[in-house]
Amino acid sequence: MSAPITFIFSVLLLHLLSASLTSAADGSWQLLQKSIGISAMHMQLLRNDRVIMFDRTDFGPSNLSLPGGKCRNDPTDTALQVDCTAHSVEYDVFANKFRALTVQTDVWCSSGSIMADGNLVQTGGFNDGERRVRVFSPCRTCDWNEIPNGLAAKRWYATNHLLPDGRQIIIGGRGQFNYEFVPKNLVANKINLPFLSETNEKGVENNLYPFVFINVDGNLFIFANNRAILFDYVNNQVVRTYPTIPGGDPRSYPSTGSAVLLPLKNLKAAAIEAEVLVCGGAPKGAYLNSLKGVFMKALDTCARITITDPNPQWVMETMPLARVMGDMILLPNGNVLLINGAGSGSAGWEQGRDPVLTPVLYRPDNGIGSRFETQNPTTIPRMYHSTAALLRDGRVLVGGSNPHAFYNFTGVLFPSELSLEAFSPAYLDAKFDNLRPRIIAPKSMSGIRYRKKYTIQVVIPSDEVDENSVSVTMFAPAFNTHSFSMNQRLLVLGNDKVTALGNSTYNVEATTPRSGNLAPSGFYLLFVVHQDIPSQGIWVRLW
């Protein structure tokens, strides 16, 4: 093939590839705040529709002053011992306003979860924060409360999960091949977990911020590096060892893929299936190469496994875009949004390149080959230390991105990002307003019980509503940091019965999950979904 023909063929091929990436593009972006004063490295939605965000105290002064001339005095801080600026904010979703909060110790690369009472209990960090437990209660004037030596071990880059018994389990962290509980056990509270040392690569690690999910049997699925176990934390026993992901590439920090427990369905069945999806990351050698200025292409594969199968195997899929440091967010209709991240390099200071501005929608119920849909892109790179969280109105809040050791806004490839955006999936388009349910009763449910039937009253303007297309879902808001949403899960309750009441009004009956293994006691967002179009959620508390 001659050079001119080769060139023309290459241009045509690029044009076709570009068309394939944009043809299914959907969804829209909105800039909410140009600056909240800090970079949102950690993010958690609370039951009062406020989102707690924080970065780290040793970034130096932020762009948001603490109120009333307040200052944080910390002689152990490595950047600024007297700091009169905030490193945490509370963002009011529906007012689109934020206020400064005060953290006393360094929360850098920490972890957390909402407890059953709705309080955010957040753990660990760096330096003087590595053994701290911090509590934030949802109220208009609340601020952080800190518990010195609340942890048995130093926790930095650990993962937390709420358990059916109301405790949090905290797994791993840098140099910690063990786990513990909050509140603490009466007996020894630091328990060895050899799997974490087995998955630790010397000089690279690749097993930090492990992906952790409660399986339907109450055991924990724990993924680190490129493999996983099913773990009985009550008896400290490995119940099952899963196969290594085909190809063997790492997916955990700093190679930093992401993972979700796919929506749990058929909740009345004797045996409920559970599937885990792991997407993206950086190939072997990417972290060390990035330190030398060589940025290897990110992984473009997802691996999916049914963790409840007697002989589980990973099934590989190819994404439209390679992605490292991406976030995976469960949407109310059961689809998964892949958002944020880079196309090459790895997690770490200045170690990512080629921002991936285009989100991708993953439809888990479609067949292989038809599950991915590219969405409309943002204009703001969201690299290392980016975050994302589902909101009650169905939007996805996006913030963060600071691949620097301090705030740095000039002379760098990717300036410290203090803005907040919202991504609105296609289901929020006005063209679907006639399909969209609107919950009119109850406004919230503060005390729903397991195995009970409840009625939700909705208005659906559509002329024809097929009851088979109506479903109730429950979402557990997650603690998001470093490309993993801790405690995230979606339960599809379906419907037991749909009754037309006239005037486009319907009663939808649904039965709650049967145990805390499926849904630990706590606060959830409940949605009614009609033909893939979700309502705005209401807050419910499951006991």
Side-chain angles (χ1 to χ4, degrees), residues 492-506:
V492 180
L493 308 186
N495 79 72
D496 297 331
K497 185 180 180 182
V498 177
T499 305
L501 303 178
N503 297 321
S504 301
T505 305
Y506 300 84

Side-chain angles (χ1 to χ4, degrees), residues 222-403:
I222 304 175
F223 180 101
N225 199 318
N226 56 15
R227 55 195 186 274
I229 57 172
L230 191 62
F231 185 64
D232 177 354
Y233 63 89
V234 176
N235 297 302
N236 192 30
Q237 292 180 349
V238 175
V239 177
R240 170 182 287 173
T241 300
Y242 293 96
T244 300
I245 280 185
D249 284 312
R251 308 282 178 150
S252 304
Y253 182 92
S255 291
T256 308
S258 191
V260 290
L261 177 72
L262 290 174
L264 297 175
K265 301 179 178 180
N266 303 316
L267 302 186
K268 295 180 182 178
I272 300 170
E273 275 194 354
E275 292 183 275
V276 168
L277 180 70
V278 180
C279 289
K284 289 179 180 177
Y287 174 75
L288 293 178
N289 271 302
S290 67
L291 293 173
K292 303 171 187 174
V294 177
F295 304 98
M296 297 173 67
K297 181 185 175 183
L299 298 172
D300 65 359
T301 55
C302 292
R304 181 167 165 173
I305 190 170
T306 303
I307 65 175
T308 47
D309 270 5
N311 183 31
Q313 300 295 322
W314 293 99
V315 176
M316 304 302 292
E317 303 178 62
T318 302
M319 301 186 288
L321 302 161
R323 195 181 302 257
V324 61
M325 297 182 287
D327 287 285
M328 295 172 69
I329 305 299
L330 293 170
L331 299 178
N333 59 5
N335 294 331
V336 183
L337 185 70
L338 287 75
I339 200 166
N340 298 336
S344 61
S346 83
W349 303 135
E350 325 295 342
Q351 288 171 247
R353 294 293 186 275
D354 306 315
V356 182
L357 303 177
T358 301
V360 170
L361 193 69
Y362 179 85
R363 298 182 180 273
D365 293 340
N366 285 9
I368 289 181
S370 62
R371 289 174 174 162
F372 294 100
E373 293 178 9
T374 55
Q375 307 291 287
N376 282 319
T378 180
T379 59
I380 301 175
R382 300 289 181 179
M383 305 291 282
Y384 187 42
H385 290 146
S386 298
T387 46
L390 178 69
L391 302 176
R392 184 163 63 86
D393 59 13
R395 294 178 300 163
V396 175
L397 183 67
V398 177
S401 186
N402 189 11

Side-chain angles (χ1 to χ4, degrees), residues 433 435-439 458-461 528-530 533-536:
D433 283 353
L435 299 176
R436 193 182 328 282
R438 179 169 57 88
I439 299 175
V458 297
V459 169
I460 306 176
V528 175
V529 181
H530 172 232
I533 309 301
S535 68
Q536 187 167 113

